[in-house]
Amino acid sequence: MSVQDQSDLALPPGSAELMPPEALARHRAFMRREAPKVESDWMQVDTYKARIEPVDASMIDRLHELTVSVFWPHRASDIELVLSLGTGYLALDEIGRPLSSVMGFPSDDDFTMLGMMVTTPRLQSQGTGGRLLRRVMTEQAGRDLRLSATRQGYRLYESAGFTPVRLVYQHQGMARAIRPPEPVQGVSVRPMQPGDMEAIRALDAHAFGATRTAILDALLGVSDVVVAERGGVVEGYAMMRNFGKGRVIGPLVAEQDGIAMQLAAEFIMAHEGEFLRLDTIIESERFEAFVSAAGLGVYDTVTDMRYGRLRRAQSGPMTYGLAMQSLG
């Protein structure tokens, strides 16, 4: 099937009708721009050739080198985790230096989160990122897609047909002493127990918009987990694990600000004086003020973007804290 034909089949049934027509037009133009064929493993970059290789566990050091070039805080262990959860490609120059990367993290049969999309700064206008993005979008045809767009990548993703949803606020800093938030009536926070997993998966699937069992299981293996319980029913959960310069709080799923604050406070108060990070997509002045007061001010923003239908929950349990920008 040609790239042109695939561009018309790149979404699940019913999703195209929920996309702006101009975004679909941009996507078709983007996918038809590829020359030579998208299947080719070589491309001309500047004055030399680059090759495209599937990413695997042997490429941790190269991906780490690439993330360092754009000042991402990922450690080798963080990259090892994402490599175990998705597939993707890495562009390398003639002497093996990493130039660009992209990965896809599928959930369910019709959704994929795109991430680890990095291009070394000296080549961000040379087409390497676009070449890899076309390739992975072709492979993910038939799925709704989502990604977190940096300022540097926003125009590329927009040209590929992605539309903005809302900002993701990256809160981070040294956690400081805070007064515990007023508990929501009847809600208590406690460590996760094995019997909580079914409720956690259901909460996450509603908030995220797809069932990501493999990702949750992997995060559970490296995270501390607490749940918010009311009358024996789990109404929210939060994880925290080592990441980047310190620790990251996420995923964090709750139905209201008060419960989200109770969950986040469990980790913030236990790690006073340590570097913490929390990426939130919820535009809540109350929640963001609480996190900032705890020493986690807004450091940066990225844009949550979609190609396909909007799947993230707009009511009920929602994602207050992302697992990481590449995983959502």
Side-chain angles (χ1 to χ4, degrees):
M1 183 180 290
S2 70
V3 173
Q4 287 88 342
D5 292 334
Q6 289 190 27
S7 70
D8 296 328
L9 300 174
L11 289 171
S15 288
E17 290 80 359
L18 301 176
M19 287 289 293
E22 61 272 18
L24 294 174
R26 288 196 302 269
H27 171 75
R28 293 189 182 100
F30 177 80
M31 297 301 285
R32 290 168 179 160
R33 201 176 305 158
E34 185 65 25
K37 291 181 179 180
V38 72
E39 292 82 4
S40 173
D41 287 327
W42 290 92
M43 56 182 162
Q44 187 73 32
V45 180
D46 198 17
T47 59
Y48 54 86
K49 283 187 176 182
R51 69 182 188 274
I52 300 171
E53 294 188 3
V55 295
D56 58 36
S58 70
M59 297 183 176
I60 293 174
D61 290 343
R62 285 170 169 169
L63 279 170
H64 189 222
E65 178 183 343
L66 191 57
T67 59
V68 168
S69 75
V70 292
F71 304 104
W72 284 15
H74 298 55
R75 299 167 304 173
S77 58
D78 302 324
I79 294 172
E80 183 179 12
L81 176 65
V82 297
L83 282 176
S84 71
L85 297 172
T87 60
Y89 297 96
L90 183 66
L92 303 164
D93 69 10
E94 293 173 312
I95 59 173
R97 292 177 300 183
L99 306 177
S100 189
S101 65
V102 63
M103 291 189 68
F105 304 93
S107 300
D108 288 336
D109 295 328
D110 60 356
F111 177 80
T112 294
M113 183 81 194
L114 301 185
M116 290 301 295
M117 292 180 288
V118 191
T119 298
T120 188
R122 63 190 174 89
L123 296 176
Q124 286 179 356
S125 62
Q126 298 294 322
T128 56
R131 174 68 178 276
L132 295 184
L133 180 59
R134 289 186 190 94
R135 183 159 187 162
V136 78
M137 289 185 76
T138 298
E139 292 184 352
Q140 299 297 331
R143 293 172 174 265
D144 291 321
L145 305 176
R146 182 191 300 158
L147 56 79
S148 300
T150 62
R151 293 179 182 85
Q152 294 81 2
Y154 184 91
R155 290 182 64 183
L156 169 63
Y157 308 136
E158 184 180 47
S159 73
F162 286 86
T163 61
V165 177
R166 61 178 62 171
L167 290 178
V168 176
Y169 296 89
Q170 179 180 328
H171 288 261
Q172 65 182 46
M174 305 299 290
R176 56 178 177 241
I178 55 170
R179 178 182 300 175
E182 189 70 25
V184 174
Q185 185 174 4
V187 174
S188 60
V189 174
R190 61 166 174 79
M192 184 202 80
Q193 299 171 359
D196 298 325
M197 270 312 303
E198 184 177 351
I200 289 174
R201 289 194 177 103
L203 288 165
D204 190 80
H206 175 87
F208 187 72
T211 303
R212 49 176 179 171
T213 302
I215 291 175
L216 283 182
D217 287 349
L219 293 175
L220 277 170
V222 294
S223 302
D224 297 323
V225 189
V226 294
V227 300
E229 183 182 59
R230 188 195 327 241
V233 177
V234 174
E235 295 193 355
Y237 82 91
M239 298 187 187
M240 184 185 68
R241 69 184 189 280
N242 292 333
F243 176 83
K245 299 177 181 179
R247 291 181 170 88
V248 62
I249 299 172
L252 192 164
V253 172
E255 192 166 350
Q256 56 175 284
D257 294 349
I259 295 177
M261 291 161 58
Q262 281 183 252
L263 288 164
E266 283 291 306
F267 293 133
I268 293 171
M269 295 172 65
H271 295 277
E272 180 184 340
E274 299 180 30
F275 187 91
L276 301 181
R277 172 172 170 174
L278 188 153
D279 295 323
T280 184
I281 195 170
I282 301 296
E283 295 182 351
S284 163
E285 292 184 2
R286 184 185 178 203
F287 180 73
E288 292 196 20
F290 168 76
V291 173
S292 295
L296 281 61
V298 176
Y299 173 77
D300 198 2
T301 60
V302 296
T303 304
D304 189 57
M305 302 186 77
R306 65 182 173 96
Y307 180 68
R309 62 188 173 96
L310 178 63
R311 303 177 65 123
R312 218 182 264 287
Q314 304 300 300
S315 61
M318 294 185 290
T319 303
Y320 276 80
L322 275 62
M324 64 186 296
Q325 291 176 8
S326 287
L327 296 177

